[in-house]
Amino acid sequence: MNAKNPPESPIGVFDSGVGGLSVLREIRRELPHEDLLYVADSGHAPYGDKSTELIEARSIAIVEFLISQRAKAIVVACNTATGVAIQALRARFTIPIIAMEPAVKPAAAHTKSGVIGVLATSRTIASDNFAKLHERFGADVKILMQACPGLVEQVEAGYLSDDKTRSLIEQYVVPLLEQGVDTIVLGCTHYPFLAPLIQKIAGSSVAIIDPSAAIARELRRRLASADLLSTQNKTGIERFWSSAPPHKARFIISELWRLDIDVLVLPDHTSISTALKHHVAP
Ligand code: DGL
């Protein structure tokens, strides 16, 4: 698809669910005049336990939807979708696509103990992108990768600090600390919402690194180099869509965005079966 939308068009951002709001927050800080569109595919979260075909199909269908809403650039605010679908997206769409990368490089530069931990979904840890990061930095520092099943679901449900969330984080973080980790990378966009609890459990001497602000800066660079930065002076607006039931979606997105906002239902043409029928070879 060769849509080229003008600089005053919005930026499209999506995630398997509400986690990408942590990236949207940084984009809003970095680019206050841009209009932002956000799709939470919460009806199909977590992506971590879905097939490659399904994640690709959902990602393609959502990007098509965002382009139909005049998006000039896309941010894949999901490490899992990045790991699984980024090549398919770049092969198909010509507008700028900015994707997540776990912040292993800054963590490697920051660590004093020489041991860093990465919290991510199992799919992200198993991805090629991740293997490449490991190859690149694994000689200089010890990288301990920790899959965190259950945490995406806790954030999707709005349980940011209940007993179950705390015990899952302890289960994942304490073994890392015992192995000398002094720097923890948040390799899933849902986890910044758990950062206060992760920090509390890890202790104040452990650095927690979230790549979202760097992604927002990269977005600014990419827009600038394509002459796509908005020239409007007014504050940008945000619009939200979700594939979850409307009441649930509105509650959790309003909680995390800290404003009472409207969330529209993601139109049917992006439903799983249609997405699969149109985009995946039989
Ligand atoms: N926020 C997504 C990520 O960054 C969660 C993935 C999932 O739904 O499994 O990986």
Side-chain angles (χ1 to χ4, degrees):
M1 194 182 277
N2 289 303
K4 170 106 166 81
N5 287 319
E8 65 274 19
S9 307
I11 297 163
V13 182
F14 79 96
D15 177 41
S16 64
V18 295
L21 293 168
S22 64
V23 182
L24 196 74
R25 186 168 67 184
E26 296 302 329
I27 295 174
R28 175 45 77 228
R29 248 180 228 145
E30 180 71 27
L31 297 164
H33 303 299
E34 298 287 345
D35 290 338
L36 306 176
L37 312 178
Y38 184 85
V39 171
D41 200 13
S42 297
H44 308 111
Y47 278 2
D49 58 18
K50 306 292 185 301
S51 67
T52 298
E53 289 74 16
L54 186 76
I55 299 170
E56 267 190 14
R58 289 301 302 164
S59 301
I60 289 170
I62 291 169
V63 172
E64 280 183 349
F65 169 73
L66 288 166
I67 290 175
S68 78
Q69 298 297 312
R70 301 182 53 250
K72 63 183 172 186
I74 299 293
V75 178
V76 185
C78 177
N79 291 269
T80 308
T82 297
V84 173
I86 194 63
Q87 273 133 357
L89 293 178
R90 293 214 163 111
R92 196 172 186 105
F93 302 103
T94 54
I95 64 171
I97 299 180
I98 290 83
M100 299 304 297
E101 181 166 318
V104 172
K105 188 177 175 186
H110 182 275
T111 181
K112 302 264 180 306
S113 68
V115 192
I116 68 174
V118 180
L119 305 179
T121 66
S122 320
R123 296 244 8 176
T124 297
I125 288 174
S127 69
D128 285 353
N129 286 358
F130 211 80
K132 279 183 205 138
L133 277 175
H134 204 263
E135 247 168 54
R136 209 165 133 208
F137 299 104
D140 306 328
V141 291
K142 190 166 168 190
I143 307 173
L144 302 177
M145 294 177 287
Q146 177 64 57
C148 305
L151 286 187
V152 167
E153 289 88 332
Q154 291 300 102
V155 176
E156 285 292 313
Y159 300 138
L160 304 186
S161 58
D162 74 340
D163 288 349
K164 183 171 176 198
T165 306
R166 172 182 291 274
S167 97
L168 284 170
I169 293 175
E170 276 168 359
Q171 185 188 322
Y172 301 138
V173 168
V174 171
L176 297 179
L177 302 175
E178 286 168 356
Q179 293 173 81
V181 161
D182 68 351
T183 309
I184 292 179
V185 175
L186 303 181
C188 167
T189 57
H190 280 71
Y191 303 167
F193 291 112
L194 304 173
L197 191 52
I198 296 172
Q199 187 78 72
K200 205 163 165 190
I201 290 166
S204 55
S205 61
V206 172
I208 313 269
I209 302 196
D210 170 10
S212 306
I215 299 296
R217 288 193 297 274
E218 171 66 9
L219 171 63
R220 171 192 278 284
R221 277 192 292 274
R222 293 282 300 279
L223 291 177
S225 73
D227 273 335
L228 282 174
L229 276 173
S230 169
T231 51
Q232 66 181 7
N233 288 324
K234 65 177 181 59
T235 306
I237 54 142
E238 299 94 29
R239 294 177 72 200
F240 299 88
W241 286 264
S242 173
S243 54
H247 276 89
K248 215 176 138 195
R250 182 174 181 163
F251 171 76
I252 183 65
I253 294 181
S254 295
E255 277 289 294
L256 297 180
W257 195 247
R258 298 192 175 173
L259 272 182
D260 191 13
I261 40 139
D262 274 339
V263 178
L264 302 171
V265 176
L266 190 63
D268 270 355
H269 72 271
T270 52
S271 74
I272 274 191
S273 52
T274 319
L276 279 173
K277 198 164 69 209
H278 286 160
H279 302 302
V280 177

